[in-house]
Amino acid sequence: MRWVAAACGALLLGLAAAAVYLFNADLGCFRDEVSVLLSDALEREVRVDGQLSIRLGKTMRVRAEDVSIVNAPWADDPLLLHADSLAADVALWSVFRGPLRMGNVELHGAVIRLQRAEDGRWNLPRAGPRDTDEPSPAPASPALPQIASAAAQSLQIHISSPALTRPTHVAIDAASFRSGDGALAFRMDARVNDFPLHIDSMASPAGRSDVADVLDVRIDAMLGEITLKARSEVADLSSLAVTKAEVTLDGPDAGYLFDILNLPRIASGPLSLNVTLVPDP
């Protein structure tokens, strides 16, 4: 029986050594395999032409450079997305048990080209099972990833659609999102067709004793000379169940807003809106 004990000991030692290696090695050498897996998931070719770094641990750190997603065959541009770098911290256990928990998501130097065809199709990839001839029950909606914090810099978004008078360009200098202690915060500085855009928003627990899990939501935004101020109470973020809201929108002219967004002018005149929603007593 000694050889059995020796064999088991050697096997356990080998497994321990393999575990130590996996948790300390950089798995970026599997760049091609990762690209294939992502391409299959999105049904669209994904390329990582730069360095790929994957380090395992209780928190898995993933970083990829020179990342591209190929556009739809009918789209004008060959690429839907190209990013100089993309990085994220992922809780390893969430990869297997779900929902996916991510933190410190960082996107730098990305260009996204959104296009809508005459028949209403967008050029976005379709994540999900392929169509089959056999009927199958509708699957349950997957849980959305939980992101603790995210930041984007030097992000360019180009939008073309038959509904626009000409393509729209959004240049995001910096955008950030963070969540914690039941609160959410989002901030962005950008330009929409060369008009400055600033958004500052916060959602935090309302602290009401009569209703639990209600969030106070505050949004302050400015687009060119247009200002938006919104205050509301939201009972459920997933369904955006608003229980109370106050919205104020002011600007020089309604046509001014349509011109900024490259939309046909369907209205004109002073732009001023004050709306208050309160629950029935």
Side-chain angles (χ1 to χ4, degrees), residues 206-247:
R208 289 176 51 178
S209 58
D210 55 334
V211 181
D213 301 327
V214 174
L215 293 177
D216 275 332
V217 179
R218 172 186 57 82
I219 301 174
D220 293 300
M222 177 174 288
L223 174 58
E225 299 178 31
I226 300 172
T227 60
L228 169 69
K229 294 183 179 293
R231 304 291 184 270
S232 65
E233 288 187 354
V234 179
D236 183 4
L237 278 179
S238 62
S239 62
L240 295 180
V242 177
T243 58
K244 183 171 66 173
E246 295 180 5
V247 179

Side-chain angles (χ1 to χ4, degrees), residues 40-98:
D40 289 343
L42 295 178
E43 299 186 14
R44 193 77 63 81
E45 182 184 358
V46 178
R47 298 197 302 261
V48 181
D49 295 321
Q51 182 180 2
L52 174 65
S53 176
I54 305 175
R55 291 195 175 275
L56 296 181
K58 183 178 179 180
T59 299
M60 179 171 60
R61 180 64 176 174
V62 181
R63 178 180 174 83
E65 298 178 352
D66 198 1
V67 181
S68 301
I69 300 178
V70 171
N71 218 337
W74 52 266
D76 295 334
D77 295 279
L79 296 180
L80 166 64
L81 175 145
H82 178 270
D84 291 342
S85 66
L86 174 63
D89 294 333
V90 182
L92 185 60
W93 62 267
S94 71
V95 175
F96 306 100
R97 297 181 57 185

Side-chain angles (χ1 to χ4, degrees), residues 41 126 133 216:
R126 185 183 61 131
D133 294 332
D216 275 332

Side-chain angles (χ1 to χ4, degrees), residues 7-275:
C8 291
L11 177 61
L12 291 174
L13 183 60
L15 291 174
V20 171
Y21 170 78
L22 288 175
F23 276 82
N24 289 276
D26 190 339
L27 304 182
C29 58
F30 297 105
R31 182 182 64 179
D32 293 340
E33 289 79 2
V34 170
S35 297
V36 170
L37 288 173
L38 292 175
S39 299
D40 289 343
L42 295 178
E43 299 186 14
R44 193 77 63 81
E45 182 184 358
V46 178
R47 298 197 302 261
V48 181
D49 295 321
Q51 182 180 2
L52 174 65
S53 176
I54 305 175
R55 291 195 175 275
L56 296 181
K58 183 178 179 180
T59 299
M60 179 171 60
R61 180 64 176 174
V62 181
R63 178 180 174 83
E65 298 178 352
D66 198 1
V67 181
S68 301
I69 300 178
V70 171
N71 218 337
W74 52 266
D76 295 334
D77 295 279
L79 296 180
L80 166 64
L81 175 145
H82 178 270
D84 291 342
S85 66
L86 174 63
D89 294 333
V90 182
L92 185 60
W93 62 267
S94 71
V95 175
F96 306 100
R97 297 181 57 185
L100 196 64
R101 293 181 179 270
M102 306 171 67
N104 298 323
V105 179
E106 300 172 359
L107 179 64
H108 293 274
V111 178
I112 302 173
R113 300 185 182 275
L114 302 177
Q115 183 175 351
R116 188 180 186 185
E118 292 286 348
D119 60 6
R121 289 179 300 162
W122 284 94
N123 61 330
L124 297 173
R126 185 183 61 131
R130 292 177 173 82
D131 292 333
T132 60
D133 294 332
E134 307 220 352
S136 59
S141 299
L144 294 175
Q146 298 180 5
I147 301 177
S149 63
Q153 291 182 334
S154 301
L155 176 61
Q156 307 283 330
I157 303 176
H158 302 272
I159 307 170
S160 60
S161 167
L164 300 174
T165 57
R166 57 183 176 178
T168 288
H169 176 228
V170 181
I172 299 176
D173 299 322
S176 62
F177 166 83
R178 59 181 173 82
S179 64
D181 298 326
L184 307 172
F186 175 76
R187 182 184 177 90
M188 182 172 70
D189 289 300
R191 298 182 307 279
V192 178
N193 296 323
D194 291 329
F195 288 86
L197 169 65
H198 174 75
I199 300 175
D200 191 354
S201 61
M202 170 73 75
S204 56
R208 289 176 51 178
S209 58
D210 55 334
V211 181
D213 301 327
V214 174
L215 293 177
D216 275 332
V217 179
R218 172 186 57 82
I219 301 174
D220 293 300
M222 177 174 288
L223 174 58
E225 299 178 31
I226 300 172
T227 60
L228 169 69
K229 294 183 179 293
R231 304 291 184 270
S232 65
E233 288 187 354
V234 179
D236 183 4
L237 278 179
S238 62
S239 62
L240 295 180
V242 177
T243 58
K244 183 171 66 173
E246 295 180 5
V247 179
T248 301
L249 178 67
D250 287 301
D253 184 85
Y256 175 80
L257 175 60
F258 290 111
D259 291 344
I260 291 178
L261 301 178
N262 290 337
L263 290 169
R265 283 198 176 201
I266 59 175
S268 61
L271 181 61
S272 180
L273 177 68
N274 291 278
V275 177

